[in-house]
Amino acid sequence: MPATIVVGTQWGDEGKGRVIDNLAEQSQMVVRFQGGNNAGHTIVNEAGEFKFHLIPSGILYPHVTAMIGNGVVIDPRVLCQEIDALKARGYDCGNLRISSNAHLIMPYHILLDSAHETQLGKRKIGTTRRGIGPAYTDKAARLGIRVQDLTDKKILRQKLDTAIGEKNDLLEKVYNSPGVDPFEVMEQYAHFADELASYIADTSLLIDKALKRGEKVLFEGAQGTMLDIDHGTYPFVTSSNPIAGAACVGAGVGPTAIDEVIGVCKAYTTRVGEGPFPTELDGALGDHFVNRGAEYGTTTGRKRRCGWLDLVVLKYAVRLNGLTGLAITKLDVLSNLDQINFCSMYEYEHDGACENFTDFPPHQSMFYHCRPVYQTLPGWKEDISGARKLSELPPEARDYLKLISEEAGVPVRIVSVGPGRDETVEM
Ligand code: GDP
Ligand code: IMO
Ligand code: MG
């Protein structure tokens, strides 16, 4: 697995951080390639729990170089806080590198994200309000400010002056809310520049050199396939491409460098924010997943919407990402259920006719109106969190894994049965 991409196959929070942490033990480099601090990746090891929003999940291993690629949008305040928090826990972050081409989230991006959500009212997307959408908008509009601009205060001031006038007009005149003070922003960002200067690097070149030395490089996706701006449940998506193809763009490597793509799939489904979710469960069963799986957002603390595994979504993710392997997480959360439902296709009623979809529907309106068709497997009652070998799982749990692998047409490479680093079943 010299170059392996790890992506979410659902709506995010599949357990990508813990899977990266497992794989990073045998790797030399971990690269985040998109998203920003909308992400929240959790790792639990002997030192306790770590929640990363921008810092790549490999940082805890001193032998791993942890890179923030050019495709990420960076809020320097959050990054500085994360670095300080890690330092306070004894990690010096000397193994962190930040792409000079990555774009910065500015204070006005955060204000615009919130103002826009508030204005949308009932039609809101349910963003994390971290400024992600407005930062990617400015990148595409060529109004963005990049990490390298921090290294030249004159350029930083020029770019800030260009951007801030327009943003303050937007905030004050369109959204009726206060703008930002350019002098204050300049002062804050000059401070972040000093804090971050030593980490800035040509990350694409470093990755290329590592691959040429035959080292193992992991590309860490944030969010998930169904939040992809092109292929997800638009407009209820994020503003980047969390799918595997984006790893090449967001890290600066060619597609021929990639050897494997691992899709992380929760044994059930969760979603934070608004938007369609066919297998969503209300009531006691939904609460079972929330409580057993501790399903509260890592970034915003919002309660996650929960439902059964959706194989139509999983097969879509296999196709879009070219998955070569699956990591099934949180299998332990399904213990103690009489039966396990999984959605094998959708029914779509329209003009008195009923159409079945085993592939993801081509139109959002269809997806909105699709009803899940469930199949069932028997559940298991045992606590499986102590299982470390496939043979230590109850036959019902093994059957469920077999079914997922067969339906997806992709082998299961990793199974996790608890949040801890060692709570992994050897495949
Ligand atoms: P990510 O955004 O994909 O990295 O996932 P999050 O960290 O946001 O959410 C996953 C949550 O599930 C975290 O709280 C993890 O500690 C926890 N977790 C990961 N794997 C397992 C598992 O196998 N079992 C249980 N019970 N919890 C897990
Ligand atoms: P990780 O990497 C789950 C969701 C938000 C919202 C939508 C758009 O931890 O899996 P944004 O702030 O990106 O403009 O919000 O995307 N979202 C996530 N949901 N996990 C994430 O990241 C997410 N990042 C964004 O809740 O619905
Ligand atoms: Mg998360």
Side-chain angles (χ1 to χ4, degrees):
M1 52 153 242
T4 300
I5 302 172
V6 177
V7 289
T9 60
Q10 296 157 319
W11 278 277
D13 302 326
E14 297 90 349
K16 298 174 292 295
R18 72 89 29 85
V19 169
I20 290 279
D21 179 60
N22 285 135
L23 296 173
E25 199 178 354
Q26 305 292 332
S27 306
Q28 283 73 43
M29 199 173 261
V30 176
V31 191
R32 267 283 303 270
F33 59 86
Q34 46 69 235
N37 57 304
N38 47 351
H41 296 180
T42 317
I43 291 168
V44 180
N45 67 15
E46 54 291 336
E49 190 179 59
F50 296 81
K51 289 174 191 287
F52 296 126
H53 302 288
L54 280 165
I55 289 190
S57 299
I59 192 87
L60 301 179
Y61 294 103
H63 69 272
V64 167
T65 307
M67 313 253 244
I68 303 183
N70 56 277
V72 176
V73 284
I74 300 175
D75 183 334
R77 179 194 306 279
V78 174
L79 184 54
C80 288
Q81 282 167 355
E82 279 196 49
I83 292 170
D84 289 345
L86 270 174
K87 283 184 176 167
R89 290 175 78 170
Y91 297 86
D92 72 359
C93 293
N95 54 342
L96 178 68
R97 301 285 179 278
I98 309 166
S99 167
S100 54
N101 286 349
H103 279 247
L104 294 172
I105 295 182
M106 305 301 292
Y108 45 80
H109 291 141
I110 301 167
L111 294 173
L112 285 168
D113 194 358
S114 259
H116 187 58
E117 281 285 276
T118 305
Q119 195 194 50
L120 283 173
K122 274 189 186 156
R123 290 177 295 122
K124 72 176 192 287
I125 289 155
T127 74
T128 57
R129 300 192 179 215
R130 300 299 193 262
I132 307 297
Y136 277 116
T137 303
D138 273 2
K139 176 178 176 175
R142 289 153 296 177
L143 265 179
I145 299 179
R146 298 194 289 175
V147 165
Q148 58 186 272
D149 300 326
L150 290 175
T151 61
D152 184 330
K153 304 242 157 66
K154 203 169 142 215
I155 290 190
L156 180 62
R157 181 176 289 283
Q158 271 172 13
K159 293 203 172 181
L160 200 56
D161 283 346
T162 311
I164 231 163
E166 189 187 299
K167 302 303 167 194
N168 276 351
D169 272 357
L170 203 55
L171 282 163
E172 287 159 11
K173 295 179 186 155
V174 176
Y175 292 111
N176 224 355
S177 62
V180 294
D181 177 348
F183 297 103
E184 220 172 273
V185 177
M186 186 63 208
E187 204 176 300
Q188 285 170 347
Y189 277 62
H191 165 72
F192 299 141
D194 296 339
E195 295 281 302
L196 298 175
S198 64
Y199 303 108
I200 302 173
D202 181 345
T203 47
S204 162
L205 183 64
L206 294 176
I207 299 166
D208 189 54
K209 285 185 174 171
L211 288 171
K212 284 188 175 137
R213 286 194 298 268
E215 293 180 4
K216 290 181 180 165
V217 179
L218 292 172
F219 297 88
E220 176 176 3
Q223 291 81 53
T225 302
M226 300 308 287
L227 290 171
D228 186 276
I229 189 162
D230 284 274
H231 302 282
T233 48
Y234 193 90
F236 300 101
V237 292
T238 191
S239 297
S240 69
N241 293 105
I243 59 170
C248 293
V249 182
V253 297
T256 47
I258 305 303
D259 299 284
E260 286 207 52
V261 185
I262 303 287
V264 186
C265 176
K266 218 176 254 191
Y268 49 99
T269 311
T270 62
R271 172 164 206 174
V272 199
E274 309 301 317
F277 177 4
T279 62
E280 182 169 15
L281 292 165
D282 298 324
L285 206 44
D287 287 344
H288 171 92
F289 290 127
V290 173
N291 298 330
R292 291 277 323 253
E295 294 296 356
Y296 293 91
T298 311
T299 300
T300 56
R302 287 177 289 177
K303 186 170 158 179
R304 294 175 182 148
R305 299 156 67 190
C306 294
W308 294 113
L309 180 65
D310 187 334
L311 292 174
V312 183
V313 162
L314 181 59
K315 283 193 271 187
Y316 187 49
V318 171
R319 164 156 58 101
L320 291 174
N321 294 291
L323 298 186
T324 58
L326 284 172
I328 306 295
T329 57
K330 304 190 95 160
L331 190 64
D332 54 302
V333 175
L334 292 186
S335 291
N336 219 11
L337 293 171
D338 292 329
Q339 61 178 49
I340 291 172
N341 290 359
F342 53 92
C343 167
S344 50
M345 69 173 184
Y346 301 142
E347 264 179 7
Y348 171 61
E349 275 181 45
H350 186 64
D351 293 337
C354 185
E355 199 180 337
N356 291 335
F357 283 102
T358 48
D359 287 310
F360 195 74
H363 198 293
Q364 273 302 298
S365 309
M366 289 173 169
F367 185 60
Y368 263 95
H369 296 105
C370 276
R371 280 202 314 266
V373 177
Y374 289 113
Q375 286 181 275
T376 299
L377 278 177
W380 59 91
K381 296 290 174 189
E382 298 91 321
D383 172 6
I384 60 169
S385 58
R388 296 293 174 268
K389 291 186 192 137
L390 198 56
S391 59
E392 289 168 6
L393 287 174
E396 295 85 356
R398 291 204 300 262
D399 286 348
Y400 186 53
L401 293 175
K402 189 160 171 269
L403 170 116
I404 296 172
S405 175
E406 281 174 1
E407 287 288 323
V410 175
V412 175
R413 301 261 189 232
I414 297 168
V415 174
S416 75
V417 290
R421 196 175 256 182
D422 64 326
E423 289 177 304
T424 309
V425 177
E426 208 178 278
M427 294 303 285

